[in-house]
């Protein structure tokens, strides 16, 4: 009887001890887990650059096995915001950092953001393959996308799309954290806002996919994302001026109106592994990967900087 | 193991002082832990509301923010360079309309399935169905979003001939698919909780199976069934990832099932990452969270009142 009565009391103590031990375990592990041999570089930002950044990261582990590069997207604004907080090593951005963002980074971390131009990209305007349109002016784009723009139907632009009964223009845009979104607004809409009701996709690839499955759609994305279901339009600065297609040549010559630079940002002058990584990106090997992903290298034909 | 009662007196009396400190300590610790987990729900709700509101509050007194514009304007331009406007009406309507579509689709299906599983099918089929339904409930929302984006959107385009497959209908169908398993499993529990004597009495009175279900079981289980529907609706209102991917994410008050919409939750998910901490945009997004909090609270309180009303009758 005595032993029976004692049993529950005695068994409670180990349970309590185990509970306490389990609760403490993760904390102990967290402290000791930092000292592994691999250095990790955290990269975040532009969705436009996420494919090429991933390709760089994969190739770099072959060049430098002791360094791991972790890449995530989210948009240029997301990357820059993370850099301002000092939580990442490198921010990818398909637009330039704004003065207030530089100020914020200085305030939070006490360091000056440093910019490296790693390549160029042409922002292509895409329509569905069946759309007969082949060129467009920046002014017409503003008419379609801007808040007070008048073009609502394709017939407003004198275009008739075969096999479509409702020719309302389906505008495909990007979420507001995207550098592509900001670049398009700045270079096409000026200070105006986007017309509400556009489909705001969360990635460069989604834009092209939606346009590829929608005959009446028009949208913008990096030219590296072109597929066989969509068509890239030639773009003219104004009516009557020549229209240029988004190509490596036209981007370098600045003839294409929607060309932009791609950059990476670090906090302060990069050191050690981060510096080596950026140097490698700018080397012929890194620039070749950029070119394979459909972008324009910093120094085309000549290799690295 | 605690089935043996610790009775005072008896043979253990002389040993008690030696182990009572340990046993008391152990018991106190466990009791405190259990009490803490009980109270923690309340603490969490209050703390969450407090922190969200604290982040949001400063914007309420800022001069470029007007509460009426926030609630009743459809113009959402948080990052405009010329004229910033924070109107969430289109987003609120988006959330409510997607939820409404989901309820219309999910409630009849969910309750029907619950009745079938509980009352009409064979025990073997019942076990299989329950396992499959629970599996359905375990699918992560991002997978549902993917289904909406790729499979459902193509089906909708083929069936309706509309231009864009990611729209209100798509989001509603996906949310309905997500809430049906919850409605079924909780609704089935509620029906099973009705004592068998009710069924026996109904059969003894000569009621058919349908009469038993509609006249006896549904009225007897209505509280539990309402809870099932509410939990399903709760999932629909709060869902983020799936609706972000399936609704088309367009700021627009829908005038039909095939329009793209944007919901409050999806908007926060898409924009909070880039909004600079402490900016008006950031605070307005937190205020959107407060608005969502109020919407769910109103729904819950209303449902609670309805349940009490039913009980009183």
């Amino acid at each position: 009887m005595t032993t029976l009565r004692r049993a529950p009391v005695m068994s409670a103590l180990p349970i309590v001890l185990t509970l306490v031990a389990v609760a403490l375990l993760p904390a102990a592990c967290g402290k000791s887990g930092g000292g592994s041999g691999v250095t990790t570089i955290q990269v975040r930002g532009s969705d436009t650059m996420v494919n090429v950044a991933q390709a760089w990261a994969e190739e770099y582990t072959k060049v430098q096995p002791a360094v791991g590069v972790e890449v995530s997207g989210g948009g240029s604004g997301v990357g820059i915001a993370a850099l301002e907080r000092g939580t990442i090593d490198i921010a990818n951005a398909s637009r330039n950092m704004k003065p207030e963002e530089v100020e914020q980074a200085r305030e939070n971390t006490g360091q000056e953001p440093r910019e490296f131009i790693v390549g160029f990209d042409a922002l292509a305007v895409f329509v569905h393959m069946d759309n007969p349109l082949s060129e467009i002016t920046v002014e017409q784009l503003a008419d379609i996308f801007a808040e007070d723009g008048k073009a609502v139907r394709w017939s407003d632009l004198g275009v008739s799309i075969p096999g479509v009964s409702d020719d309302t223009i389906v505008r495909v845009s990007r979420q507001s954290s995207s550098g592509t979104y900001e670049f398009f607004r700045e270079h096409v809409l000026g200070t105006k806002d986007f017309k509400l009701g556009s489909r705001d996709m969360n990635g460069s690839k989604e834009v092209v996919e939606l346009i590829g499955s929608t005959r009446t759609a028009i949208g913008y994305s990096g030219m590296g994302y072109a597929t066989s279901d969509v068509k890239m339009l030639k773009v003219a600065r104004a009516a009557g001026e020549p229209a240029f297609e988004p190509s490596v040549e036209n981007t370098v010559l600045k003839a294409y109106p929607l060309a932009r630079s791609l950059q990476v940002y670090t906090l302060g002058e990069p050191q050690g592994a981060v510096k080596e990584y950026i140097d490698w990106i700018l080397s012929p090997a890194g620039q070749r990967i950029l070119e394979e992903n459909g972008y324009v290298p910093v120094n085309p034909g000549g290799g690295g900087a | 193991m605690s089935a043996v009662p610790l009775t005072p007196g008896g043979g253990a009396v002389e040993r008690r002082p030696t182990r009572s400190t340990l046993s008391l300590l152990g018991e106190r610790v466990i009791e405190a832990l259990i009490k803490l987990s009980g109270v923690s729900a309340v603490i969490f709700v209050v703390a969450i509301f407090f922190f969200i509101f604290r982040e949001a509050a400063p914007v309420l007194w800022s001069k470029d923010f007007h509460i009426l514009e926030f609630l009743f304007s459809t113009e959402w331009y948080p990052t405009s360079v010329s004229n910033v406007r924070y109107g969430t009406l289109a987003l609120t309507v988006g959330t409510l309309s997607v939820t409404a579509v989901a309820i219309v689709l999910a409630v009849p299906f969910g309750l029907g399935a619950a009745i079938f599983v509980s009352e009409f099918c064979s025990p073997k089929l019942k076990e299989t169905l329950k396992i499959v339904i629970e599996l359905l409930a375990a699918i992560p929302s991002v997978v549902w979003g993917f289904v909406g984006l790729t499979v459902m959107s193509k089906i909708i385009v083929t069936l309706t001939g509309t231009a864009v497959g990611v729209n209100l209908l798509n989001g509603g169908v996906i949310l309905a698919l997500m809430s049906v398993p919850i409605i079924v499993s909780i609704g089935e529990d509620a029906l099973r909780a009705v004592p068998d004597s009710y069924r026996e009495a109904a059969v003894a009175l000569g009621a058919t199976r349908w009469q038993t279900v509609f006249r006896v079981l549904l009225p007897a289980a209505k509280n539990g069934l309402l809870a099932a529907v509410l939990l399903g609706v709760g999932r629909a209102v709060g869902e983020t990832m799936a609706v972000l991917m399936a609704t088309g994410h367009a700021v627009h008050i829908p005038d039909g099932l095939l329009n793209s919409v944007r919901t409050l939750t999806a908007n926060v998910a898409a924009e909070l990452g880039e909004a600079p901490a402490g900016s008006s945009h950031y605070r307005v997004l937190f205020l959107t969270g407060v608005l969502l909090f109020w919407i769910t609270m109103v729904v819950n309180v209303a449902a609670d009142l309805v349940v009490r009303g039913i009980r009183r009758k």
Side-chain angles (χ1 to χ4, degrees), chain A residues 14-30:
Chain A
I15 291 173
V16 171
L17 285 179
T18 317
L19 277 176
V20 172
V22 167
L24 291 177
L25 203 62
C29 284

Side-chain angles (χ1 to χ4, degrees), chain A residues 122-125 134-136 232-237 241-247 249-251 253-258:
Chain A
L123 191 67
V125 177
S134 66
E135 53 180 79
I136 199 163
M232 286 192 272
L233 296 180
K234 291 180 182 175
V235 181
R237 285 202 156 73
E241 283 188 30
F244 295 94
E245 60 178 348
S247 65
E249 202 186 8
N250 288 335
T251 306
L253 295 172
K254 303 258 162 71
Y256 184 70
L258 300 176

Side-chain angles (χ1 to χ4, degrees), chain A residues 30-64:
Chain A
K31 272 170 204 155
S32 61
S36 59
V38 177
T39 317
T40 307
I41 301 176
Q42 298 280 352
V43 182
R44 194 175 303 166
S46 167
D47 284 316
T48 306
M49 293 166 70
V50 76
N51 278 0
V52 65
Q54 198 76 54
W56 277 330
E58 278 165 25
E59 191 65 27
Y60 196 63
T61 50
K62 292 176 199 159
V63 180
Q64 190 60 267

